[in-house]
Amino acid sequence: MSAPLVPDYLDRIHIVLSRTSHPANIGAAARAMKTMGLSRLTLVSPNLMATPMTPQPPVFRPEVAADFALPEESFILASGAADVLDNARIVADLDEALADTVISCALTSRRRELSAPLQTPRELTPELLQAAQNGFQVALVFGNETFGLSIDEVQRCNRLLTISGNPAYFSLNLAQAVQVVCYEIFSQTGVRMTQLQAEAAPATHAQVAGMVAHLESVMQELDFFRRRNGERMIRRLHSLFARAEPSSEDIDLLRGFFRTVSKRAGQAALATQPSHSSKGPTMTQEDKNHTCDVTPAAEMEAEERELIIDDSVADLIEYADGPISDAEIEAERLHLSDIKPKPEDH
């Protein structure tokens, strides 16, 4: 099954990273974006710090912003999302980044004395997707790893967004925050990961009916229905497989198993038959009558009564007008157990 297409309106949703300091976070954010179908990345005045992988980070110069080149560390952390970094816009200030947007969301984990209502990604995403579908540009603005967004940057946005978390310890990494928001956006697009589902043809009515008939035949061979309500058991099996919604492969597997059971049962029956070449003493009819069933009569009667009680309780459940509680079922079982069989007439 081919993978579903990512909606093209996601191309109107921009991730804006303002004054990011760690090269790895830029690459990891790009990877998080691409994983969730987003590709429009904007970097505002990146202020990269020195790291073991990038001991001499590039210096951003506002007057030649477009000439800024990300270090290799960012591309390594981006993994397969290097194209997101290659196509990233690099601008000198937030006003330039938001110039074409209609909705701009400031991400914050701090209390802000602003009039804009604070919303979670799940709450705000429907509005963002609707705007993007209508052809408008949308931006999600993330601040510096240490200080977040400044008051001035927050005021330039018209939505306030926060990610819910533990109030006692709320410390998401920048790339993690980007991942959470991007996931919420993608999860509400309606795209289903159908390419990950196994392709299996559902079994037809005739296939299921044939399989149950095959099972019934094997159960009869094994004398499974002895002192059991076979008709009711087959009805239950039909109901069971209807709920299971088996595939054609499931039916083939079960019928193969039934054939093996039937074959082994036949072999076992042949193995227990006396050999015609045996020279042992011939059993009389009286001997055979005495060896047919060695089960004590009392034990057989108890087993028979238990099977009858099970069938009666099952019928009570199956044909009741409404739900029956466990207490009512147990009361019925005790009632049936107390019934004494009538003495046979002699």
Side-chain angles (χ1 to χ4, degrees):
M1 183 178 294
S2 59
L5 297 176
V6 174
D8 57 3
Y9 58 79
L10 290 181
D11 196 46
R12 302 187 188 100
I13 299 179
H14 304 252
I15 299 298
V16 179
L17 305 184
S18 180
R19 299 174 291 109
T20 309
S21 62
H22 203 299
N25 281 335
I26 296 176
R31 181 177 183 177
M33 290 171 57
K34 188 170 182 178
T35 302
M36 296 299 139
L38 303 181
S39 60
R40 304 292 294 276
L41 174 64
T42 300
L43 303 178
V44 177
S45 188
N47 184 25
L48 301 186
M49 60 185 284
T51 69
M53 289 183 65
T54 310
Q56 294 182 330
V59 177
F60 176 76
R61 301 184 187 282
E63 64 276 10
V64 285
D67 294 338
F68 181 81
L70 289 168
E72 183 181 2
E73 182 176 0
S74 297
F75 286 88
I76 292 174
L77 269 293
S79 189
D83 57 319
V84 176
L85 297 181
D86 287 333
N87 296 318
R89 287 179 64 210
I90 302 175
V91 298
D93 56 57
L94 188 58
D95 284 336
E96 185 178 355
L98 302 180
D100 297 329
T101 63
V102 171
I103 297 178
S104 53
C105 309
L107 270 290
T108 183
S109 60
R110 302 175 184 175
R111 177 179 295 178
R112 303 281 185 173
E113 300 298 331
L114 298 170
S115 58
L118 189 63
Q119 299 180 78
T120 65
R122 185 160 301 174
E123 294 167 342
L124 189 56
T125 290
E127 181 185 3
L128 303 183
L129 292 179
Q130 187 61 58
Q133 290 175 31
N134 291 339
F136 300 115
Q137 303 296 321
V138 173
L140 296 152
V141 185
F142 297 79
N144 173 269
E145 294 94 328
T146 304
F147 305 107
L149 293 172
S150 67
I151 295 176
D152 183 62
E153 288 174 320
V154 171
Q155 289 178 337
R156 279 170 164 71
C157 299
N158 52 29
R159 300 289 188 279
L160 200 56
L161 191 63
T162 191
I163 298 172
S164 301
N166 178 9
Y169 181 76
F170 192 73
S171 180
L172 274 181
N173 169 270
L174 172 60
Q176 292 173 335
V178 172
Q179 181 74 82
V180 170
V181 174
C182 291
Y183 167 76
E184 193 61 53
I185 290 172
F186 184 81
S187 68
Q188 294 192 36
T189 61
V191 176
R192 297 290 177 260
M193 307 299 284
T194 52
Q195 78 278 11
L196 302 181
Q197 298 174 355
E199 296 186 26
T204 64
H205 174 80
Q207 287 177 314
V208 175
M211 182 269 295
V212 175
H214 191 171
L215 175 57
E216 181 180 6
S217 174
V218 174
M219 295 168 80
Q220 288 173 343
E221 288 181 38
L222 300 175
D223 199 21
F224 185 82
F225 295 124
R226 185 169 65 94
R227 286 180 273 173
R228 289 184 173 91
N229 189 331
E231 183 179 347
R232 182 166 55 80
M233 293 187 70
I234 295 302
R235 286 202 308 270
R236 287 190 170 186
L237 287 172
H238 274 290
S239 177
L240 184 154
F241 287 111
R243 295 194 305 272
E245 298 182 354
S247 67
S248 293
E249 290 184 359
D250 296 331
I251 297 297
D252 292 340
L253 173 64
L254 288 171
R255 297 198 71 163
F257 173 70
F258 298 158
R259 283 191 292 271
T260 300
V261 171
S262 181
K263 180 180 178 181
R264 295 294 174 85
Q267 292 173 345
L270 289 174
T272 57
Q273 291 182 359
S275 173
H276 294 295
S277 61
S278 173
K279 297 182 180 180
T282 303
M283 294 179 65
T284 65
Q285 184 62 43
E286 183 178 357
D287 292 333
K288 293 179 180 179
N289 291 339
H290 282 88
T291 58
C292 283
D293 194 345
V294 296
T295 305
E299 183 178 333
M300 291 181 64
E301 180 180 332
E303 181 182 350
E304 185 76 24
R305 283 174 55 76
E306 189 63 30
L307 289 170
I308 292 173
I309 290 173
D310 287 342
D311 286 345
S312 299
V313 171
D315 287 338
L316 174 69
I317 296 172
E318 184 170 354
Y319 298 110
D321 293 332
I324 299 179
S325 66
D326 292 342
E328 291 174 312
I329 293 173
E330 186 60 25
E332 178 67 14
R333 178 177 287 279
L334 292 174
H335 169 69
L336 293 170
S337 300
D338 290 338
I339 298 176
K340 304 298 182 183
K342 294 181 180 180
E344 296 182 0
D345 295 331
H346 296 287

